[in-house]
Amino acid sequence: MKSSRMLIFILTSILVWIVAACVPDNQNKSEDSVKFQQYYVEGERLYKVYCSNCHQSDGSGLGRLYPPLVRSDFMQKNLAEVICLIKYGRKGELWVNGVMYNQPMKGNPGLTELEVAEIATYIYNSWGNVHDRVEVAEASSILAACPDR
Amino acid sequence: MLDTRSQTLIIRINKLRQYQVNRLLLCTLTTLFLLSCQMNEKPLPIFGEREVVGTDTVYHTIAPFAFVDQDSSLVTNETFKDNIYVADFFFTSCRTICPIMKTQMLRVYNATAEMPDVKILSHTIDPEYDTVALLHDFANRLGAESNRWHFVTGVKDSIYKIAQTSYFATAMEDKSEPDGFIHSGAFLLLDKQQRIRGKYDGTKEEDVNRLIIDIKRLRRDEK
């Protein structure tokens, strides 16, 4: 009898402990998803201004002139290079899903680190692409190390 | 009290009356519709100044030109003899409206694939950068065949002059612009006598839909 009471006590405290541990975690999560939403919405607006002319609003690109961002293997493999090219541009051959593109893309040096992170979050989470939010801290450390700044 | 026979007769007569009313309605509507079509079918306007010489009216046409296309072939007014064509002004390194114009012009190109008498003439306004080799690659990557879609380069001042005086389109250098040029996103529709028959905003899908319809009308009218 005594031991079963003891057991219940232990179990309840473990439960309380688990719940207590979970609550702040949940709060963290929802805070995170609000952040994600903010990045995504702002990223979409910036994408329409700076990128959709060429890559199209559905990310499909244009012929062999402007590469697609929809399920691009280049994007999946090269987050750092993509962050750099958004701000500093790129030229030379570039392969996306087995097709060679070669047309200079001018950079947008006026974009802030936050804006670059927002655009990256948007393109990495649209049209079937799935990725975590690209944090401004991550973007800024990548940008600081871009080869041709 | 009516017998069932005359009752059904009355019903029949009523139905017939209803039917006639319906027919009358249908007829009026059809006539109205046809009339409105007829009204829509007035020929496309002819742009620019006109002069009356004797009994003839002389219209504004495209001045003589000679440019070089992506295959290094000479492109002149002769190239478009007996052809309808669509003209525009762009440059390959432009980031703002040109990519949208090219997306839309590609729609025109695809919509006219089965029309051997319809061509496209895209002039670069940055001939120093847009060499024949560069235009060749650009056209190729866009998927454009050189016999239907000419990307031309030439003497800069000749291009600017023909843009402004023949096509009524803006094209000039402006160092204060982000990409160094100002130009309009207009698409111009030219008939077989090289008269301007329509002007469209090449950055707007609806305007380009109208252009595609007008090309078909012009072909019908010019047969």
Side-chain angles (χ1 to χ4, degrees):
Chain A
M1 199 60 194
K2 227 183 187 172
S3 71
S4 80
R5 237 189 225 174
M6 194 62 184
L7 195 70
I8 287 172
F9 176 73
I10 291 173
L11 279 180
T12 342
S13 30
I14 289 177
L15 205 72
V16 167
W17 190 76
I18 288 174
V19 169
C22 280
V23 168
D25 194 20
N26 266 343
Q27 255 173 6
N28 243 346
K29 258 207 177 123
S30 70
E31 200 176 283
D32 220 57
S33 83
V34 168
K35 265 252 164 75
F36 179 87
Q37 273 302 318
Q38 285 170 342
Y39 269 60
Y40 188 86
V41 169
E42 192 53 21
E44 179 171 24
R45 187 186 70 76
L46 293 165
Y47 180 82
K48 294 233 159 81
V49 176
Y50 292 101
C51 325
S52 68
N53 286 358
C54 293
H55 295 287
Q56 312 288 326
S57 41
D58 62 359
S60 60
L62 185 65
R64 284 180 296 117
L65 206 52
Y66 308 126
L69 309 183
V70 177
R71 280 184 283 278
S72 146
D73 60 351
F74 181 89
M75 274 173 62
Q76 296 316 321
K77 282 180 247 161
N78 305 290
L79 176 67
E81 204 178 333
V82 168
I83 299 269
C84 289
L85 72 79
I86 290 175
K87 185 153 174 149
Y88 300 112
R90 188 189 190 286
K91 59 164 159 274
E93 293 186 3
L94 182 153
W95 290 79
V96 180
N97 304 338
V99 178
M100 193 268 278
Y101 296 82
N102 188 2
Q103 179 84 19
M105 170 178 153
K106 282 188 202 158
N108 302 282
L111 291 175
T112 64
E113 289 166 351
L114 176 61
E115 287 171 330
V116 172
E118 287 165 340
I119 293 174
T121 299
Y122 176 71
I123 63 172
Y124 272 94
N125 290 283
S126 297
W127 322 297
N129 298 340
V130 183
H131 194 272
D132 290 332
R133 176 162 63 93
V134 178
E135 290 272 1
V136 62
E138 190 182 1
S140 97
S141 69
I142 293 172
L143 285 171
C146 289
D148 31 29
R149 282 192 286 149
Chain B
M1 189 59 197
L2 290 162
D3 61 281
T4 44
R5 249 195 153 173
S6 40
Q7 253 178 353
T8 44
L9 200 70
I10 288 174
I11 291 174
R12 279 220 181 124
I13 289 172
N14 274 341
K15 267 194 182 154
L16 201 69
R17 216 179 261 156
Q18 187 62 44
Y19 173 70
Q20 271 173 343
V21 169
N22 281 347
R23 260 186 53 161
L24 195 72
L25 207 72
L26 194 74
C27 178
T28 344
L29 284 179
T30 320
T31 322
L32 276 176
F33 177 71
L34 285 178
L35 269 176
S36 74
C37 283
Q38 200 93 64
M39 286 195 294
N40 266 340
E41 273 301 311
K42 69 169 185 257
L44 294 169
I46 300 170
F47 287 61
E49 287 190 7
R50 55 198 63 183
E51 251 180 84
V52 179
V53 180
T55 52
D56 288 339
T57 312
V58 179
Y59 292 98
H60 171 87
T61 57
I62 303 305
F65 64 82
F67 299 124
V68 177
D69 76 3
Q70 69 265 43
D71 286 350
S72 303
S73 310
L74 193 66
V75 170
T76 66
N77 310 64
E78 264 307 286
T79 313
F80 300 99
K81 190 171 182 283
D82 297 324
N83 282 272
I84 288 169
Y85 73 98
V86 181
D88 75 344
F89 296 85
F90 85 114
F91 55 109
T92 65
S93 62
C94 143
R95 288 179 288 180
T96 51
I97 59 174
C98 314
I100 310 177
M101 289 166 71
K102 287 295 153 277
T103 308
Q104 292 301 324
M105 195 62 101
L106 195 61
R107 288 183 56 224
V108 176
Y109 178 79
N110 290 330
T112 55
E114 307 295 321
M115 306 176 192
D117 56 337
V118 179
K119 293 187 173 156
I120 301 173
L121 174 58
S122 290
H123 309 74
T124 176
I125 57 168
D126 186 8
E128 278 145 30
Y129 183 80
D130 290 338
T131 56
V132 167
L134 216 137
L135 291 175
H136 183 88
D137 183 61
F138 188 89
N140 205 357
R141 290 186 171 277
L142 207 54
E145 299 243 4
S146 56
N147 58 347
R148 286 219 295 128
W149 189 347
H150 300 275
F151 288 81
V152 296
T153 178
V155 177
K156 188 150 81 179
D157 290 336
S158 314
I159 296 173
Y160 291 1
K161 190 166 170 221
I162 204 152
Q164 278 156 28
T165 59
S166 282
Y167 294 99
F168 307 133
T170 322
M172 60 183 89
E173 246 171 317
D174 184 344
K175 295 276 178 259
S176 67
E177 286 288 303
D179 286 333
F181 296 90
I182 41 171
H183 69 125
S184 74
F187 289 178
L188 293 312
L189 175 60
L190 285 301
D191 68 13
K192 294 187 178 171
Q193 298 160 56
Q194 306 203 342
R195 303 177 301 185
I196 303 176
R197 303 301 294 272
K199 192 170 181 176
Y200 313 83
D201 185 340
T203 64
K204 298 220 164 69
E205 197 176 326
E206 320 85 69
D207 249 45
V208 175
N209 291 343
R210 193 161 58 80
L211 164 61
I212 293 170
I213 292 169
D214 285 355
I215 290 174
K216 293 178 187 156
R217 274 177 64 187
L218 195 56
R219 291 183 80 221
R220 246 183 288 131
D221 293 349
E222 298 227 315
K223 273 226 169 92

